[in-house]
Amino acid sequence: LDARVRGAHVAYSKVRLAEGATIDEVTGDPTSTVVPAPGSEGWDISNQWSLTYDSRANFNGISVGSKLVASIEKSLLALGSDYDYTLLTFRAERGARVLARHNLVVKTQFNAGRNVPFQQEYLTGGTAMRGYINGQLRGDLQAAANAEYSFPLFSIKGFSMRGLGFWDSAYTTFLDGEDRPDRDFLPGAEKRGLDPFKNSVGLGVRMYLKQIVLPLLGLDVGYGVERNAFEVYLAIGLTD
C-alpha cells in the first residue's frame, strides 16, 4: 500500500496548431492570430493511493507470476490546487513460461477520470502502443491490453538476446468531451463509438545481462493497423 502527495505548476509556453488544423477551426474566428492553450494554467496538487499485489519473478528475460494494481488519485483543493479532478486506475499483468525458455506476458489496464485537465489526460502511443506516435491519442477514458510472446535468440556467457512478437490494443476517448467545449479543438476529441479503438502489431528484440533483471536495450518495430503506418522504438533501460 503506497501513498504520495505530488505537486506541480502547469504553464504553456509554446502552443501550436495540430498538423492540418486551421486557426478558424480552433477559435471560430478566421482573423484570430492567437492559438488558445489546451487547458488552464495553475497549481496541480494531488494525493494518490495505490494497492499492489506482485508475485512476479524475472530471470534471463522470462517473467512468471502476476501483478495487480488499483489506485485512486484526487486533487487537493485544501492545499491550493487549481484543478478539481479524480483518476481511477486498474492494472493486471500475468506472465507464464512456455517451452522452458519461451515467455508469454499479457497486460491489461483500465483508466477513468473526472474533470481531467490536459496534463493528466491518458495518452496512447509509444512503447505501450507501438505503431502510433508517442502520446498521439489522448482522453479521460482508456482501456488497453498488450500481449507479448518472447523467445531466445542466442546467449554468450552473461549476455543474451531475445526476440518477441506483440499485439497492442487500446480504446481512448473523451468520456465528457461533449460537455467540455474547451477540449473540442483537440484532434480526436469528437470521436465516439468504435473509432477510438486502435490496434498495432509488430516484432522486437531485447538485450539482457545476466546480472541485471530488466532488459538493457529494446528495439521494436510496430505497425498501426488503423493508421496504416510503421513506427520504430528504441528504449534504453526498459522497465515494467
Side-chain angles (χ1 to χ4, degrees):
L1 177 65
D2 297 307
R4 69 168 184 165
V5 174
R6 52 164 295 279
H9 188 269
V10 179
Y12 302 97
S13 59
K14 282 187 178 181
V15 182
R16 297 179 299 172
L17 285 173
E19 183 178 350
T22 59
I23 190 68
D24 58 316
E25 289 177 324
V26 175
T27 64
D29 179 7
T31 64
S32 175
T33 59
V34 178
V35 181
S40 59
E41 300 181 344
W43 283 99
D44 180 2
I45 305 173
S46 66
N47 177 216
Q48 182 188 62
W49 288 84
S50 62
L51 181 64
T52 303
Y53 167 82
D54 193 349
S55 67
R56 296 171 304 165
N58 294 274
F59 184 71
N60 281 351
I62 298 176
S63 176
V64 178
S66 302
K67 182 178 182 179
L68 302 172
V69 179
S71 70
I72 181 171
E73 182 171 356
K74 187 169 178 57
S75 54
L76 291 174
L77 300 178
L79 293 184
S81 177
D82 294 311
Y83 305 92
D84 182 11
Y85 63 88
T86 303
L87 305 175
L88 296 174
T89 297
F90 301 94
R91 289 191 291 138
E93 176 181 337
R94 176 67 179 176
R97 185 189 300 268
V98 182
L99 300 176
R101 297 181 62 195
H102 292 212
N103 194 201
L104 175 63
V105 177
V106 178
K107 301 178 182 178
T108 61
Q109 65 174 326
F110 175 80
N111 303 304
R114 180 189 63 85
N115 295 335
V116 184
F118 179 81
Q119 71 275 7
Q120 292 284 22
E121 287 173 354
Y122 304 114
L123 304 179
T124 296
T127 55
M129 185 64 183
R130 292 152 286 193
Y132 289 82
I133 299 172
N134 190 41
Q136 181 174 352
L137 308 171
R138 59 194 311 136
D140 52 27
L141 177 70
Q142 181 188 66
N146 310 84
E148 289 187 354
Y149 187 90
S150 67
F151 49 90
L153 294 176
F154 65 85
S155 182
I156 302 175
K157 294 186 177 180
F159 175 79
S160 62
M161 179 177 287
R162 296 177 63 85
L164 62 87
F166 61 83
W167 182 284
D168 302 329
S169 293
Y171 185 90
T172 309
T173 188
F174 286 94
L175 189 63
D176 58 358
E178 295 177 347
D179 301 324
R180 298 186 58 189
D182 60 317
R183 314 300 290 119
D184 288 346
F185 65 88
L186 284 179
E190 75 289 351
K191 293 182 178 180
R192 296 293 184 274
L194 288 178
D195 196 31
F197 181 58
K198 307 297 181 183
N199 298 273
S200 63
V201 62
L203 302 171
V205 294
R206 298 288 183 268
M207 301 179 188
Y208 294 86
L209 283 179
K210 191 174 183 179
Q211 297 83 355
I212 302 176
V213 173
L214 296 174
L216 295 175
L217 184 67
L219 176 65
D220 293 335
V221 178
Y223 171 72
V225 177
E226 292 79 11
R227 182 175 174 237
N228 191 26
F230 287 92
E231 294 291 338
V232 179
Y233 308 88
L234 176 65
I236 299 175
L238 294 171
T239 64
D240 61 345

